[in-house]
Amino acid sequence: MQFFDEYGREDEWDRVVFDTAPTGHTLRLLGLPDVLSESLSTAAKLQGQVHQMVDSARSMVFGPAAFFRSDRDADEIETLRNRMERVAALVRDSERTDFRVVLIPETLAIEETRQLVERLRSFDISVETLVVNRVVEEVATDCGRCRARQARHEQNINRIESEFPDFSIQVVPELDGEAYGRPALEQLADEIAI
């Protein structure tokens, strides 16, 4: 596949992870291959029509020499369109692609996740795992606000489990700091079942 041609050999990686932006951006990203493929097909048709008009005008002015031109643009459009079709097929291939939705244990995030899962399924993208991130599991202080947050998280995890019964639910505890850099990512990787 073209992705591996550009970023390494296919057998070089166990997993390729795309960390996408929030829901709206993810849905636009997932729709992009289809939109681009359709747009590029239209562009190729229009390009053909424009070339015919230009060729007609050139032949009137220059005669037979007018027909020497490169089809490089058409080839590039077709190459990009084919690549987008392969990306769309890969994302929809449940044997090769595992799409996991990450959410935090808050009410709005749960609602947004429900909508995202519905939209992903409308794109024929299989979703079987939810990763509940930044969960407060233990509170070691007498902080009432901290205990309330922990209780809310526990209640929302129960809600997630009941509202998404067919999903594997993975809980990732809140880290002390921001999940940035290799050590933090390695710690997170230990928490997420693959």
Side-chain angles (χ1 to χ4, degrees):
M1 170 158 210
Q2 186 70 29
F3 171 82
F4 292 106
D5 293 345
E6 291 178 18
Y7 300 102
R9 295 184 331 272
E10 187 167 357
D11 61 352
E12 188 174 356
W13 307 102
D14 293 330
R15 299 267 188 272
V16 176
V17 176
F18 291 99
D19 181 9
T20 62
T23 302
H25 298 292
T26 299
L27 292 173
R28 283 191 292 278
L29 175 68
L30 291 172
L32 186 61
D34 294 331
V35 170
L36 274 179
S37 180
E38 187 175 319
S39 299
L40 292 171
S41 292
T42 302
K45 289 176 189 172
L46 288 174
Q47 182 184 32
Q49 292 172 1
V50 169
H51 279 304
Q52 282 181 328
M53 292 179 357
V54 169
D55 287 347
S56 295
R58 281 184 188 163
S59 68
M60 285 191 246
V61 176
F62 298 109
F67 294 101
F68 294 108
R69 67 170 162 71
S70 168
D71 286 330
R72 195 179 97 219
D73 291 342
D75 291 343
E76 287 177 5
I77 288 173
E78 186 64 21
T79 298
L80 182 57
R81 189 176 68 75
N82 288 337
R83 181 182 291 176
M84 290 297 104
E85 287 175 359
R86 287 192 312 270
V87 167
L90 176 64
V91 168
R92 290 180 175 100
D93 182 353
S94 62
E95 295 296 317
R96 297 182 66 197
T97 302
D98 178 16
F99 200 104
R100 297 176 185 206
V101 176
V102 179
L103 69 150
I104 57 173
E106 299 292 340
T107 302
L108 290 177
I110 296 169
E111 295 303 322
E112 185 177 0
T113 297
R114 181 187 339 285
Q115 293 172 11
L116 175 60
V117 167
E118 288 171 8
R119 288 294 308 275
L120 290 171
R121 288 183 170 165
S122 76
F123 281 111
D124 294 323
I125 295 172
S126 174
V127 181
E128 298 175 4
T129 304
L130 300 180
V131 178
V132 186
N133 195 17
R134 299 175 58 194
V135 176
V136 175
E137 291 185 323
E138 295 180 21
V139 179
T141 67
D142 290 335
C143 172
R145 186 172 159 197
C146 300
R147 284 194 308 278
R149 185 170 176 231
Q150 177 193 20
R152 187 174 64 247
H153 283 193
E154 186 175 320
Q155 180 182 13
N156 282 330
I157 289 170
N158 291 334
R159 177 180 170 198
I160 292 166
E161 289 170 343
S162 69
E163 291 186 20
F164 298 93
D166 299 333
F167 286 75
S168 169
I169 309 294
Q170 296 180 1
V171 176
V172 178
E174 185 170 51
L175 299 177
D176 289 336
E178 188 175 347
Y180 182 79
R182 189 175 185 123
L185 292 176
E186 286 174 347
Q187 181 181 354
L188 280 176
D190 291 340
E191 298 291 337
I192 299 173
I194 295 180

